[in-house]
Amino acid sequence: MGTWRDMTKEELEKQYAPSRWSHRMDKEVVIEAHVRAVTEGTRRAQATMQTLLHVPYGGNDGEKLDIYLPTDPSGAFPLVLYIHGGYWQFLSKEVSGFIAPPLVTQGIAVVAVGYDVAPKGHLDVMVAQVRRSVAFIVQQYSKIRSDCSAVTLSLPREVAWRNSPILGVTAATPARKACEVLIAVAQHDSPEFHRQSQEYFQALRSAGWRVSLLDIADTDHFDVIEKLSQRGYILTQVILNMISRA
Protein backbone atom coordinates (compact mmCIF):
# COMPACT_ATOMS: atom_id res chain seq x y z
CA MET A 1 0.00 0.00 0.00
CA GLY A 2 1.31 3.48 -0.87
CA THR A 3 0.99 6.64 1.16
CA TRP A 4 -2.31 8.42 1.74
CA ARG A 5 -1.45 10.69 -1.19
CA ASP A 6 -1.76 7.68 -3.53
CA MET A 7 -5.19 6.58 -2.28
CA THR A 8 -8.55 7.23 -3.85
CA LYS A 9 -11.28 8.95 -1.86
CA GLU A 10 -12.94 5.57 -1.27
CA GLU A 11 -9.68 4.03 -0.02
CA LEU A 12 -9.09 6.95 2.34
CA GLU A 13 -12.61 6.72 3.73
CA LYS A 14 -12.06 3.04 4.47
CA GLN A 15 -8.72 3.70 6.17
CA TYR A 16 -10.26 6.34 8.42
CA ALA A 17 -13.43 4.41 9.29
CA PRO A 18 -12.33 2.38 12.35
CA SER A 19 -15.60 0.44 12.56
CA ARG A 20 -14.81 -1.24 9.23
CA TRP A 21 -11.69 -2.87 10.72
CA SER A 22 -13.24 -4.46 13.79
CA HIS A 23 -13.06 -8.26 13.83
CA ARG A 24 -15.61 -8.53 16.63
CA MET A 25 -18.77 -7.06 15.19
CA ASP A 26 -20.46 -5.52 12.18
CA LYS A 27 -19.40 -1.91 11.58
CA GLU A 28 -22.73 -0.49 12.75
CA VAL A 29 -23.07 -2.80 15.73
CA VAL A 30 -19.56 -2.12 17.07
CA ILE A 31 -20.24 1.61 17.34
CA GLU A 32 -23.53 1.03 19.15
CA ALA A 33 -21.82 -1.44 21.49
CA HIS A 34 -19.04 1.06 22.19
CA VAL A 35 -21.44 3.87 23.07
CA ARG A 36 -23.39 1.51 25.31
CA ALA A 37 -20.24 0.28 27.08
CA VAL A 38 -18.80 3.72 27.81
CA THR A 39 -22.21 5.09 28.84
CA GLU A 40 -22.91 2.28 31.29
CA GLY A 41 -19.35 2.42 32.62
CA THR A 42 -19.66 6.14 33.26
CA ARG A 43 -22.97 5.70 35.08
CA ARG A 44 -21.38 3.11 37.37
CA ALA A 45 -18.41 5.39 38.06
CA GLN A 46 -20.61 8.38 38.91
CA ALA A 47 -22.80 6.26 41.19
CA THR A 48 -19.87 5.08 43.31
CA MET A 49 -17.30 7.89 43.28
CA GLN A 50 -16.82 11.41 44.52
CA THR A 51 -17.33 13.71 41.53
CA LEU A 52 -17.45 17.33 40.50
CA LEU A 53 -19.59 17.41 37.37
CA HIS A 54 -20.00 20.13 34.73
CA VAL A 55 -17.23 22.34 36.12
CA PRO A 56 -16.82 25.28 33.71
CA TYR A 57 -13.33 26.03 32.43
CA GLY A 58 -14.46 28.64 29.88
CA GLY A 59 -17.43 30.71 28.83
CA ASN A 60 -19.02 28.43 26.20
CA ASP A 61 -21.65 25.82 27.03
CA GLY A 62 -19.38 23.00 25.86
CA GLU A 63 -16.41 24.10 27.97
CA LYS A 64 -16.96 21.98 31.05
CA LEU A 65 -15.14 19.23 32.94
CA ASP A 66 -16.23 16.14 34.87
CA ILE A 67 -13.80 15.43 37.70
CA TYR A 68 -13.52 12.06 39.48
CA LEU A 69 -11.68 12.47 42.77
CA PRO A 70 -9.76 10.01 44.94
CA THR A 71 -11.22 9.06 48.30
CA ASP A 72 -8.96 11.58 50.07
CA PRO A 73 -8.56 14.62 47.82
CA SER A 74 -6.99 16.80 50.52
CA GLY A 75 -3.37 16.27 49.50
CA ALA A 76 -1.41 16.14 46.25
CA PHE A 77 -2.36 13.41 43.83
CA PRO A 78 -1.65 12.43 40.21
CA LEU A 79 -4.16 13.28 37.51
CA VAL A 80 -5.14 11.69 34.22
CA LEU A 81 -6.76 14.05 31.73
CA TYR A 82 -9.05 12.16 29.35
CA ILE A 83 -9.96 13.77 26.03
CA HIS A 84 -12.63 11.69 24.35
CA GLY A 85 -12.54 10.62 20.72
CA GLY A 86 -15.46 10.27 18.32
CA TYR A 87 -13.99 11.46 15.02
CA TRP A 88 -14.46 15.07 16.22
CA GLN A 89 -18.20 14.56 15.71
CA PHE A 90 -19.75 12.69 18.63
CA LEU A 91 -19.23 11.29 22.15
CA SER A 92 -18.77 13.64 25.10
CA LYS A 93 -17.45 13.99 28.62
CA GLU A 94 -20.82 12.63 29.80
CA VAL A 95 -19.75 9.16 28.64
CA SER A 96 -16.04 9.44 29.48
CA GLY A 97 -15.98 8.56 33.17
CA PHE A 98 -15.77 4.82 32.50
CA ILE A 99 -11.97 4.92 32.78
CA ALA A 100 -12.09 6.33 36.33
CA PRO A 101 -12.59 3.29 38.63
CA PRO A 102 -9.21 1.54 38.27
CA LEU A 103 -7.38 4.86 38.52
CA VAL A 104 -9.36 6.58 41.28
CA THR A 105 -9.05 3.53 43.52
CA GLN A 106 -5.27 3.97 43.25
CA GLY A 107 -5.45 7.59 44.41
CA ILE A 108 -5.43 9.15 40.93
CA ALA A 109 -7.89 11.83 39.85
CA VAL A 110 -9.52 11.60 36.42
CA VAL A 111 -10.75 14.63 34.50
CA ALA A 112 -12.98 14.15 31.44
CA VAL A 113 -12.80 17.16 29.13
CA GLY A 114 -15.83 18.50 27.31
CA TYR A 115 -15.40 20.42 24.06
CA ASP A 116 -17.56 21.46 21.12
CA VAL A 117 -17.64 18.72 18.49
CA ALA A 118 -18.43 19.28 14.81
CA PRO A 119 -20.39 20.82 13.25
CA LYS A 120 -20.65 23.31 16.12
CA GLY A 121 -16.95 23.13 16.86
CA HIS A 122 -14.18 23.98 14.40
CA LEU A 123 -10.91 22.05 14.81
CA ASP A 124 -9.04 25.21 15.79
CA VAL A 125 -11.73 25.83 18.42
CA MET A 126 -11.46 22.27 19.76
CA VAL A 127 -7.70 22.56 20.16
CA ALA A 128 -8.02 25.93 21.88
CA GLN A 129 -10.65 24.52 24.24
CA VAL A 130 -8.49 21.57 25.22
CA ARG A 131 -5.58 23.92 25.89
CA ARG A 132 -7.82 26.07 28.08
CA SER A 133 -8.97 23.02 30.00
CA VAL A 134 -5.37 22.02 30.79
CA ALA A 135 -4.51 25.56 31.90
CA PHE A 136 -7.62 25.67 34.07
CA ILE A 137 -6.82 22.39 35.79
CA VAL A 138 -3.24 23.46 36.53
CA GLN A 139 -4.33 26.85 37.86
CA GLN A 140 -7.45 25.78 39.75
CA TYR A 141 -6.09 22.62 41.30
CA SER A 142 -2.51 23.55 42.08
CA LYS A 143 -2.13 20.63 44.50
CA ILE A 144 -2.76 18.14 41.73
CA ARG A 145 0.43 16.53 40.48
CA SER A 146 -0.24 16.45 36.76
CA ASP A 147 1.47 13.75 34.69
CA CYS A 148 2.21 13.84 30.97
CA SER A 149 0.89 10.48 30.00
CA ALA A 150 -1.46 11.82 27.57
CA VAL A 151 -16.81 15.28 5.95
CA THR A 152 -19.20 16.98 7.89
CA LEU A 153 -16.08 18.28 9.58
CA SER A 154 -15.52 20.98 6.94
CA LEU A 155 -11.82 20.48 7.56
CA PRO A 156 -9.63 22.42 5.11
CA ARG A 157 -6.14 21.06 4.56
CA GLU A 158 -4.49 24.10 6.14
CA VAL A 159 -6.55 23.62 9.32
CA ALA A 160 -5.63 19.95 9.50
CA TRP A 161 -1.95 20.75 9.02
CA ARG A 162 -2.04 23.56 11.57
CA ASN A 163 -3.40 21.17 14.20
CA SER A 164 -1.45 18.04 13.22
CA PRO A 165 0.59 16.67 16.15
CA ILE A 166 3.32 15.26 13.93
CA LEU A 167 3.86 18.63 12.24
CA GLY A 168 4.17 20.25 15.66
CA VAL A 169 6.96 18.03 16.98
CA THR A 170 9.85 20.08 18.34
CA ALA A 171 13.14 19.07 19.90
CA ALA A 172 12.88 17.80 23.46
CA THR A 173 14.45 20.17 25.96
CA PRO A 174 15.66 18.84 29.34
CA ALA A 175 12.34 19.89 30.88
CA ARG A 176 10.33 18.19 28.13
CA LYS A 177 12.28 14.96 28.56
CA ALA A 178 10.56 14.61 31.94
CA CYS A 179 7.37 13.97 29.98
CA GLU A 180 6.96 10.35 28.95
CA VAL A 181 4.82 9.84 25.83
CA LEU A 182 2.91 6.63 25.17
CA ILE A 183 1.38 5.97 21.75
CA ALA A 184 -1.12 3.10 21.72
CA VAL A 185 -2.70 1.52 18.65
CA ALA A 186 -5.14 -1.38 18.41
CA GLN A 187 -4.19 -4.54 16.55
CA HIS A 188 -7.31 -4.21 14.43
CA ASP A 189 -6.96 -0.54 13.65
CA SER A 190 -6.53 0.23 9.97
CA PRO A 191 -3.09 0.11 8.28
CA GLU A 192 -3.23 3.90 8.04
CA PHE A 193 -3.73 4.24 11.80
CA HIS A 194 -0.74 1.95 12.31
CA ARG A 195 1.37 3.92 9.85
CA GLN A 196 0.56 7.23 11.50
CA SER A 197 1.25 5.84 14.97
CA GLN A 198 4.62 4.52 13.82
CA GLU A 199 5.55 7.78 12.10
CA TYR A 200 4.56 9.86 15.13
CA PHE A 201 6.60 7.54 17.35
CA GLN A 202 9.64 7.89 15.08
CA ALA A 203 9.27 11.67 14.88
CA LEU A 204 9.14 12.04 18.66
CA ARG A 205 12.05 9.66 19.20
CA SER A 206 14.15 11.47 16.60
CA ALA A 207 13.42 14.74 18.39
CA GLY A 208 14.73 13.32 21.65
CA TRP A 209 11.46 12.65 23.48
CA ARG A 210 10.94 9.71 25.85
CA VAL A 211 8.39 7.78 23.82
CA SER A 212 7.11 4.23 23.49
CA LEU A 213 4.70 2.57 21.05
CA LEU A 214 2.29 -0.10 22.22
CA ASP A 215 0.45 -2.29 19.70
CA ILE A 216 -2.30 -3.89 21.76
CA ALA A 217 -3.25 -7.39 20.65
CA ASP A 218 -6.83 -8.59 20.19
CA THR A 219 -8.35 -5.10 20.28
CA ASP A 220 -10.01 -2.80 17.80
CA HIS A 221 -10.40 0.98 17.77
CA PHE A 222 -13.24 0.76 20.28
CA ASP A 223 -12.46 -1.86 22.92
CA VAL A 224 -8.87 -0.66 23.12
CA ILE A 225 -10.47 2.29 24.96
CA GLU A 226 -13.40 0.47 26.59
CA LYS A 227 -11.04 -1.86 28.46
CA LEU A 228 -9.53 1.08 30.33
CA SER A 229 -12.36 0.44 32.81
CA GLN A 230 -10.51 -2.75 33.82
CA ARG A 231 -7.60 -2.57 36.26
CA GLY A 232 -5.97 -5.71 34.87
CA TYR A 233 -5.98 -4.40 31.27
CA ILE A 234 -2.48 -3.95 29.86
CA LEU A 235 -2.98 -0.29 28.91
CA THR A 236 -4.39 0.53 32.35
CA GLN A 237 -1.35 -1.14 33.92
CA VAL A 238 1.04 0.79 31.67
CA ILE A 239 -0.61 4.08 32.66
CA LEU A 240 -0.42 3.20 36.36
CA ASN A 241 3.25 2.26 35.99
CA MET A 242 4.02 5.53 34.18
CA ILE A 243 2.38 7.50 36.96
CA SER A 244 4.25 5.58 39.66
CA ARG A 245 7.57 6.50 37.98
CA ALA A 246 6.72 10.19 37.70
Side-chain angles (χ1 to χ4, degrees):
M1 183 181 69
T3 68
W4 63 269
R5 299 175 189 274
D6 304 318
M7 297 183 199
T8 65
K9 180 181 178 181
E10 290 73 21
E11 289 170 333
L12 281 170
E13 287 178 350
K14 181 179 179 180
Q15 289 292 320
Y16 290 99
S19 60
R20 297 179 65 175
W21 298 89
S22 174
H23 286 206
R24 296 182 297 136
M25 305 175 186
D26 175 80
K27 64 180 182 179
E28 301 298 335
V29 176
V30 73
I31 294 176
E32 294 174 359
H34 177 67
V35 173
R36 184 166 57 251
V38 297
T39 300
E40 293 174 354
T42 300
R43 287 174 181 165
R44 288 193 296 270
Q46 292 183 358
T48 58
M49 296 182 174
Q50 182 177 352
T51 61
L52 298 171
L53 302 179
H54 316 305
V55 177
Y57 66 85
N60 294 339
D61 289 342
E63 296 178 356
K64 292 182 174 63
L65 307 170
D66 284 349
I67 304 173
Y68 298 78
L69 292 167
T71 304
D72 180 13
S74 59
F77 46 82
L79 178 146
V80 169
L81 193 69
Y82 182 77
I83 304 165
H84 71 83
Y87 215 172
W88 302 290
Q89 299 173 58
F90 76 113
L91 297 180
S92 67
K93 71 175 181 61
E94 280 74 18
V95 296
S96 297
F98 67 97
I99 75 164
L103 300 175
V104 169
T105 54
Q106 298 302 303
I108 301 165
V110 172
V111 177
V113 178
Y115 58 91
D116 291 318
V117 297
K120 181 178 181 180
H122 183 279
L123 188 58
D124 287 333
V125 172
M126 297 180 202
V127 172
Q129 288 176 326
V130 170
R131 286 175 173 167
R132 279 198 294 277
S133 74
V134 175
F136 174 85
I137 284 293
V138 172
Q139 294 167 4
Q140 190 74 11
Y141 299 94
S142 58
K143 289 185 178 180
I144 292 177
R145 177 168 60 85
S146 299
D147 293 280
C148 298
S149 299
V151 305
T152 54
L153 286 174
S154 299
L155 187 60
R157 180 173 304 216
E158 63 272 15
V159 175
W161 285 7
R162 184 163 61 241
N163 292 287
S164 171
I166 196 168
L167 297 180
V169 172
T170 55
T173 62
R176 287 173 176 172
K177 286 184 180 179
C179 178
E180 186 175 357
V181 181
L182 170 66
I183 301 169
V185 62
Q187 176 185 353
H188 298 300
D189 262 324
S190 71
E192 184 66 6
F193 274 58
H194 281 266
R195 181 191 67 79
Q196 289 193 3
S197 299
Q198 183 67 38
E199 287 193 3
Y200 191 42
F201 166 74
Q202 293 293 351
L204 288 170
R205 187 168 69 171
S206 298
W209 291 79
R210 295 170 60 205
V211 58
S212 54
L213 175 63
L214 188 60
D215 190 335
I216 304 179
D218 301 321
T219 59
D220 57 34
H221 194 77
F222 304 93
D223 62 349
V224 71
I225 294 296
E226 294 166 14
K227 291 181 178 181
L228 284 170
S229 64
Q230 306 168 12
R231 184 176 177 186
Y233 176 45
I234 182 173
L235 188 53
T236 307
Q237 288 298 308
V238 169
I239 292 171
L240 288 170
N241 289 336
M242 289 175 70
I243 291 173
S244 69
R245 296 196 301 268

